[in-house]
Amino acid sequence: MEPTNPLSIDSDDTIYSADSIEFCPIQSHSHLFACGTYQLAKDESEDSVKVSQDPEVSTGNSDSDADSDDDEEVKVEKPMLRLGRLLLYEVGSKDDKTRNLKNLSCTETAAILDMKWSHHLINGHATLGVADASGDLSLYQFKSEGADLEIVTKYQTNENSKLALSLDWSNRVNASSEPQIAVSLSSGDVTILELDPTSSNLQENLTWHAHDLEAWIVGWNYHDTNVLYTGADDCRLKGWDLRMDCSYATFTSKAHQMGVCSIQSNPHDEHILATGSYDENVLIWDTRSMRQPLGTTETGGGVWRLKWHPTQKDVLLAGCMFNGFHVIKYDDAWSGSMISSFMEHKSLAYGCDWSYETRKDSMDLPLVGSCSFYDHLLHLWQPKEYQS
């Protein structure tokens, strides 16, 4: 059966290129979601240097000062700036057919690569982690009565212009008073940060070189947070046990044929892991045996993001770059079929997420927010299962 093709309920122009969407999982704020953007811009403040036209200058001729009038001023262009904006949206109305988007705030940041909400309150507040092109991991909270996000802490993962590419919280399934945040970097390094429960400050616990190319994605095993998974442009999926020496991975898989850019542990099934790659395949794994995947689903586009359904263990949302967004339904043998596809984005399909809002009819699939890059568009849509 062909997947259904739902229409957009509402959309917005994010101005900057959009690459990340995260609905707040805390019920008091479940009508809100964050959208992260990434924009390259030219640095107009050009530096200039003087280059002498006198060949004797290069030999250290002491009379070079007298010939300074012959020097030519040459402008040196600076590297492109990576700019970003953290946008906060509200989903209004309770009627799915008339739901609308309202942009509540815009915060200027460095270019945003990834975002994740903590699924549990931090010091009584809903908390959003943001990884950006400056290599920073920033935490934002709703600190006041309103819905404005305020930065509460920032941690610089490096001083060598490495980009922070992805992050994941360790407390998705099990609440912790001292959650950890894993961050993957463009250098191939992975950093583990610990959150101080009283001050909300971040402290580095561990950093190691996990991959030789960009580490696009990092994800915890939500049911055993001693275990971590990483994927990179080297086409490798790796597993790590933080109780051991991270000089060596617990496993290295070459099952993906191109860069591994999405990973998510199934929060509803302790042994199931989903991974996606530029090779346009979603692989489902049994974490007890990572020699070969349980199932493979072709998506027709590089799989940039994967999000398990908020409550169902067998439904997965995929952002597939050149081929839109898809909802995949799995059977008992973990064979997947696309049941709903959203194709209204006309550019790279990157960020996507499910709404965590409590629904009147639990049989309906939740709302989905999705965004695309070069056309800087954000859409809200309602996946539909097969028509009977």
Side-chain angles (χ1 to χ4, degrees):
M1 299 177 69
E2 292 295 320
T4 62
N5 296 113
L7 300 177
S8 177
I9 297 171
D10 199 7
S11 63
D12 193 35
D13 185 341
T14 59
I15 310 300
Y16 285 3
S17 300
D19 60 9
S20 182
I21 282 185
E22 295 290 324
F23 272 93
C24 184
I26 307 301
Q27 279 304 305
S28 60
H29 293 82
S30 61
H31 58 298
L32 303 175
F33 68 86
C35 177
T37 65
Y38 183 116
Q39 189 77 18
L40 286 175
K42 185 177 181 180
D43 188 342
E44 300 294 345
S45 59
E46 296 177 339
D47 288 336
S48 61
V49 297
K50 284 191 174 182
V51 179
S52 175
Q53 301 303 302
D54 187 345
E56 291 187 2
V57 171
S58 62
T59 64
N61 189 298
S62 61
D63 296 329
S64 60
D65 289 342
D67 298 326
S68 60
D69 290 342
D70 294 330
D71 290 353
E72 178 184 357
E73 189 174 87
V74 176
K75 291 183 177 180
V76 179
E77 292 190 2
K78 294 183 178 180
M80 296 288 280
L81 298 173
R82 295 185 175 97
L83 307 177
R85 288 172 178 167
L86 174 58
L87 307 173
L88 184 66
Y89 283 88
E90 177 183 35
V91 179
S93 175
K94 289 291 185 180
D95 182 354
D96 287 345
K97 294 181 180 180
T98 60
R99 306 210 72 165
N100 60 295
L101 297 172
K102 181 181 180 181
N103 183 209
L104 298 179
S105 65
C106 174
T107 304
E108 300 291 336
T109 66
I112 294 172
L113 279 300
D114 192 25
M115 306 185 297
K116 295 287 191 314
W117 292 94
S118 168
H119 276 248
H120 299 275
L121 296 176
I122 304 296
N123 291 334
H125 301 286
T127 304
L128 176 70
V130 177
D132 68 35
S134 295
D136 291 340
L137 189 284
S138 302
L139 299 184
Y140 291 81
Q141 292 180 343
F142 297 112
K143 298 288 284 187
S144 60
E145 291 296 327
D148 291 336
L149 283 170
E150 300 176 14
I151 190 167
V152 292
T153 191
K154 178 183 290 188
Y155 185 87
Q156 186 177 4
T157 62
N158 67 92
E159 297 178 354
N160 302 310
S161 301
K162 305 172 188 175
L163 283 66
L165 298 180
S166 76
L167 75 132
D168 201 18
W169 292 81
S170 64
N171 62 350
R172 171 68 186 266
V173 170
N174 299 311
S176 170
S177 61
E178 298 181 2
Q180 297 186 97
I181 303 174
V183 184
S184 67
L185 305 176
S186 58
S187 60
D189 290 353
V190 172
T191 292
I192 307 298
L193 302 175
E194 291 184 344
L195 181 63
D196 186 302
T198 56
S199 66
S200 293
N201 288 332
L202 293 165
Q203 295 182 336
E204 183 175 326
N205 179 38
L206 178 67
T207 294
W208 73 96
H209 191 63
H211 297 268
D212 290 332
L213 296 176
E214 292 91 340
W216 291 119
I217 191 70
V218 61
W220 294 97
N221 180 326
Y222 294 137
H223 307 274
D224 180 0
T225 53
N226 293 303
V227 176
L228 195 70
Y229 308 105
T230 60
D233 220 35
D234 57 9
C235 311
R236 304 294 191 266
L237 168 67
K238 294 185 178 183
W240 309 90
D241 191 323
L242 301 186
R243 296 164 296 189
M244 301 169 60
D245 181 359
C246 285
S247 299
Y248 302 94
T250 56
F251 73 85
T252 298
S253 172
K254 302 178 184 179
H256 283 293
Q257 302 304 304
M258 299 179 72
V260 180
C261 43
S262 53
I263 292 172
Q264 193 173 55
S265 170
N266 191 326
H268 318 298
D269 190 319
E270 62 178 323
H271 301 305
I272 296 300
L273 178 74
T275 64
S277 163
Y278 292 128
D279 66 9
E280 305 185 353
N281 289 308
V282 175
L283 304 185
I284 300 297
W285 303 83
D286 184 328
T287 57
R288 294 167 295 185
S289 178
M290 297 293 293
R291 294 182 179 179
Q292 62 182 21
L294 297 175
T296 301
T297 304
E298 296 181 6
T299 65
V303 186
W304 183 251
R305 280 296 174 264
L306 291 170
K307 299 289 183 69
W308 288 105
H309 187 284
T311 59
Q312 298 178 27
K313 73 172 189 177
D314 55 356
V315 177
L316 184 65
L317 174 64
C320 300
M321 298 181 72
F322 292 103
N323 195 38
F325 297 90
H326 305 281
V327 177
I328 304 171
K329 174 81 170 180
Y330 290 93
D331 61 19
D332 292 342
W334 293 103
S335 175
S337 301
M338 292 183 185
I339 61 172
S340 193
S341 299
F342 185 78
M343 307 301 291
E344 292 197 26
H345 290 276
K346 304 305 179 185
S347 178
L348 289 173
Y350 273 160
C352 58
D353 200 15
W354 303 97
S355 168
Y356 290 87
E357 212 170 26
T358 302
R359 303 185 57 77
K360 295 178 181 178
D361 188 346
S362 60
M363 297 302 293
D364 289 343
L365 291 172
L367 291 171
V368 168
S370 58
C371 64
S372 46
F373 201 71
Y374 295 115
D375 58 355
H376 36 87
L377 274 180
L378 166 68
H379 281 283
L380 184 71
W381 48 284
Q382 174 72 59
K384 300 292 183 184
E385 297 206 41
Y386 298 128
Q387 299 294 329
S388 56

